[in-house]
Amino acid sequence: MKSDAVKKGMATAPQRSLFNALGFTKEELERPLVGIVSSYNEIVPGHMNIDKIVEAVKKGVLMGGGTPIEFPAIAVCDGIAMGHTGMKYSLVTRDLICDSTECMALAHQFDALVMIPNCDKNVPGLLMAAARVNVPTIFVSGGPMLAGHVRGKKTSLSTMFEAVGAHAAGKMTEEEVDEYVCNACPTCGSCSGMFTANSMNCLTEAIGMGLKGNGSIPAVYSQRLALAKHAGMQVMELYRQDIRPRDIMTADAFKNALAVDMALGCSTNTMLHLPAIAHEAGVEINPAMANAVSEKTPNLCHLAPAGNTYMEEFNEAGGVYAVMNELSKKNLLNLDLITCTGKTVGDNIKGCEIRDTNCIRPVSDPFMESGGIAALSGNIAPDTCVVKKSAVLPEMMVHEGPARVFDSEEDAIAAIKGGKIVPGDVVVIRYEGPKGGPGMREMLNPTSVIEGMGLGSSVALITDGRFSGASRGASIGHVSPEAALGGPIALVEEGDIIAIDIPNLSINVKVSDEELAKRKEAWTPREPKVKTGYLARYASLVTSADKGAILDHTK
């Protein structure tokens, strides 16, 4: 046992005295020590129930013959952090979570780990840590929120942000907005659509690190407690069989995850997180690979914000395994890969048929013949940018219009709410990338205000920042290189014509190469927005969005 380093032999007598201080018995220390990484807190709705999940996991570990020992991981609520300085601290926590979990796991020599995340950066941060630490590990999330209900219509957090735009446009009263406030997010859990948290929890199943239902069983269902117990029992099987994260998270497993990503129409944030997780597992993923997978993978789901179905319906329709079984009918998955069940992908998904074709389409009748995410490139984004094309209206798939240029999210929101953005415009928000932000803020506020004001069918938005999974419309993010590095987005001027062609994967500013070169010569780097604390250190190490915004520790 790895934990023998802290509990066996005369040399570990001091360590054993400290276990004694914790109340551990000799019998407990003779078993494998299993770290239970709890993301419980009282500020994130997706995490307020995790204490119950932890207790269920502990019971499973005990039933499986291990000794569970809990330690914490942090998490930021992106919704609460949205639209102010707090959003600079969202993406950056992914690496803090990974680093701190590595520290705890290796400092205390755990034999195995159960990761219990739920929200946006928490899931990829712990997946990164799992790959880095590489002891037998399984994931069980806190589960998605149920959809809200207002006047007979289902709602989610994205409805709330769009309501703010509708109020600014005079389309909703304050009393009507308050009705949504009280009903849009009715339970604990990760927000109820295919936003980033649920996207990543579903992809945890697809990549083989979570049991069936990890991404879809609602947080308030007792079935999730049963899932947690099974996860606790199963981690002990993984320990006995010595199946480790890097045995599961192989290059082919990431290709499976990309295919499921495209079929589900996941958040564009997956194009930041999958490359970062893969990097920790010694695998490379890039936007070109994502496009290659997307080209041959049909989009089978239009969950909110792309459509009007939610995670509870997705769960009832068969969830991730039903989608994977459907993709297997076109030979789009590698079925021979080992997973956390101890069985192969093919064994896991056998017989998992779609139970509601309104929610999950069959491969013979997809929403789109290609995947839900696309990486575009052109003279404004030579190293690519990304769009959730499954959430783009048909009339906005090809768009051309004048650039309305803003050097911060706040300036853009003020202009949109002030009625200064008109149909046909292309809103450009720059100096919000990983380094320039710093922290690459999500732009749910401006995209939602655009939708709420009725401009979603006529206005595009591009940024070197990123988008919430709740964003919809022609919202194009991760423009690389970012403005802070002197990328071409920094050279765009007010009124330049920007041409977007999503079907042909292109995005260009209609300015000659000579003119762009002249502007580049005149460009000077901006002073860093933050010069102290964690954000300054992050900005000094972070790489571009097209590389997953990973930290370059060689600097």
Side-chain angles (χ1 to χ4, degrees):
M1 279 185 270
K2 188 181 182 72
S3 60
D4 285 352
V6 295
K7 65 185 187 184
K8 290 286 186 183
M10 182 54 63
T12 68
Q15 286 91 337
R16 292 201 305 276
S17 73
L18 294 171
F19 279 108
N20 184 69
L22 289 163
F24 283 101
T25 66
K26 180 181 177 182
E27 292 80 5
E28 286 175 302
L29 294 181
E30 287 174 350
R31 297 178 170 196
L33 303 186
V34 181
I36 313 298
V37 188
S38 169
S39 304
Y40 170 76
N41 62 51
E42 295 182 338
I43 189 63
V44 184
H47 292 229
M48 63 181 287
N49 65 316
I50 280 179
D51 57 338
K52 308 296 188 300
I53 304 295
V54 167
E55 291 309 309
V57 166
K58 288 179 179 177
K59 289 176 182 176
V61 170
L62 288 168
M63 286 189 280
T67 297
I69 305 174
E70 178 183 349
F71 66 87
I74 64 168
V76 163
C77 177
D78 279 20
I80 294 174
M82 195 73 65
H84 55 87
T85 302
M87 182 43 68
K88 294 179 184 289
Y89 288 90
S90 172
L91 177 60
V92 304
T93 64
R94 186 185 71 183
D95 297 275
L96 275 177
I97 291 162
C98 176
D99 292 348
S100 60
T101 303
E102 174 198 358
C103 291
M104 289 294 288
L106 296 182
H108 302 103
Q109 294 291 288
F110 286 107
D111 297 298
L113 297 168
V114 181
M115 306 291 199
I116 311 178
N118 211 25
C119 289
D120 296 24
K121 311 310 155 319
N122 197 239
V123 185
L126 290 179
L127 282 165
M128 290 164 67
R132 191 184 292 179
V133 174
N134 202 36
V135 298
T137 302
I138 199 167
F139 278 66
V140 56
S141 77
M145 185 184 290
L146 295 179
H149 293 266
V150 178
R151 302 185 183 185
K153 294 180 66 176
K154 286 192 172 183
T155 61
S156 66
L157 180 66
S158 61
T159 314
M160 282 309 318
F161 281 92
E162 291 175 15
V164 173
H167 179 264
K171 296 179 179 181
M172 287 183 74
T173 65
E174 187 172 345
E175 291 74 20
E176 288 172 325
V177 174
D178 283 341
E179 185 179 1
Y180 278 87
V181 167
C182 295
N183 294 286
C185 300
T187 71
C188 62
S190 47
C191 295
S192 56
M194 189 54 77
F195 308 155
T196 305
N198 293 326
S199 295
M200 291 308 304
N201 282 321
C202 286
L203 294 186
T204 301
E205 276 189 67
I207 208 168
M209 291 295 292
L211 298 177
K212 179 183 179 183
N214 178 68
S216 61
I217 298 171
V220 295
Y221 285 12
S222 297
Q223 188 183 357
R224 182 152 290 276
L225 296 177
L227 178 73
K229 291 174 185 175
H230 282 128
M233 288 186 274
Q234 184 57 31
V235 80
M236 297 311 301
E237 286 301 315
L238 294 174
Y239 170 75
R240 281 186 276 271
Q241 295 179 48
D242 196 28
I243 298 174
R244 300 171 182 246
R246 289 186 202 168
D247 299 324
I248 296 170
M249 290 195 282
T250 62
D252 284 338
F254 281 101
K255 290 176 185 175
N256 279 358
L258 281 172
V260 175
D261 190 346
M262 299 306 166
L264 291 177
C266 290
S267 163
T268 51
N269 280 315
T270 62
M271 291 296 99
L272 282 176
H273 300 322
L274 285 176
I277 299 161
H279 175 75
E280 295 294 344
V283 174
E284 182 185 352
I285 289 181
N286 57 54
M289 292 170 61
N291 276 343
V293 172
S294 180
E295 186 178 350
K296 60 184 180 181
T297 307
N299 176 233
L300 306 181
C301 298
H302 268 192
L303 295 157
N308 296 314
T309 51
Y310 293 80
M311 292 304 295
E312 61 208 73
E313 291 149 301
F314 178 62
N315 185 61
E316 291 161 11
V320 174
Y321 276 19
V323 170
M324 294 179 75
N325 188 45
E326 202 63 22
L327 293 178
S328 72
K329 295 174 183 178
K330 288 191 71 174
N331 298 315
L332 293 170
L333 299 177
N334 187 324
L335 303 182
D336 298 326
L337 308 179
I338 195 68
T339 70
C340 69
T341 65
K343 301 175 183 177
T344 66
V345 172
D347 291 333
N348 290 343
I349 66 176
K350 187 176 181 179
C352 295
E353 300 293 338
I354 299 169
R355 296 195 290 266
D356 179 359
T357 55
N358 291 318
C359 183
I360 303 173
R361 294 271 188 93
V363 289
S364 58
D365 182 30
F367 283 102
M368 299 187 301
E369 292 292 340
S370 59
I373 294 176
L376 316 182
S377 60
N379 67 356
I380 199 171
D383 292 340
T384 70
C385 53
V386 297
V387 62
K388 185 173 181 175
K389 65 179 182 179
S390 60
V392 179
L393 291 170
E395 57 267 37
M396 289 300 291
M397 295 293 279
V398 177
H399 179 78
E400 190 170 302
R404 305 299 310 279
V405 182
F406 304 94
D407 287 349
S408 72
E409 178 188 7
E410 289 83 357
D411 290 348
I413 291 171
I416 298 164
K417 287 184 176 180
K420 296 179 181 178
I421 303 301
V422 300
D425 283 348
V426 177
V427 176
V428 177
I429 305 178
R430 62 193 182 188
Y431 294 100
E432 291 285 7
K435 188 176 294 290
M440 202 179 183
R441 289 193 286 181
E442 286 183 340
M443 301 291 165
L444 180 56
N445 270 357
T447 60
S448 297
V449 174
I450 285 170
E451 289 289 340
M453 295 184 75
L455 294 171
S457 62
S458 59
V459 169
L461 190 154
I462 69 171
T463 180
D464 54 6
R466 60 194 180 93
F467 295 107
S468 164
S471 289
R472 58 184 173 133
S475 304
I476 300 167
H478 307 192
V479 171
S480 301
E482 62 176 291
L485 294 173
I489 192 172
L491 311 178
V492 176
E493 295 182 356
E494 187 80 7
D496 285 347
I497 300 300
I498 294 177
I500 300 165
D501 187 341
I502 295 171
N504 288 307
L505 307 176
S506 73
I507 181 167
N508 289 284
V509 56
K510 289 193 162 183
V511 174
S512 69
D513 292 344
E514 292 77 15
E515 174 61 21
L516 285 176
K518 192 181 301 181
R519 293 180 188 180
K520 176 73 177 190
E521 274 187 39
W523 178 82
T524 54
R526 301 287 179 91
E527 278 287 310
K529 293 178 184 176
V530 179
K531 297 180 180 179
T532 60
Y534 179 62
L535 285 179
R537 188 161 74 251
Y538 178 88
S540 71
L541 296 173
V542 71
T543 62
S544 296
D546 64 298
K547 295 178 175 61
I550 61 173
L551 301 187
D552 182 357
H553 294 288
T554 64
K555 292 183 179 180

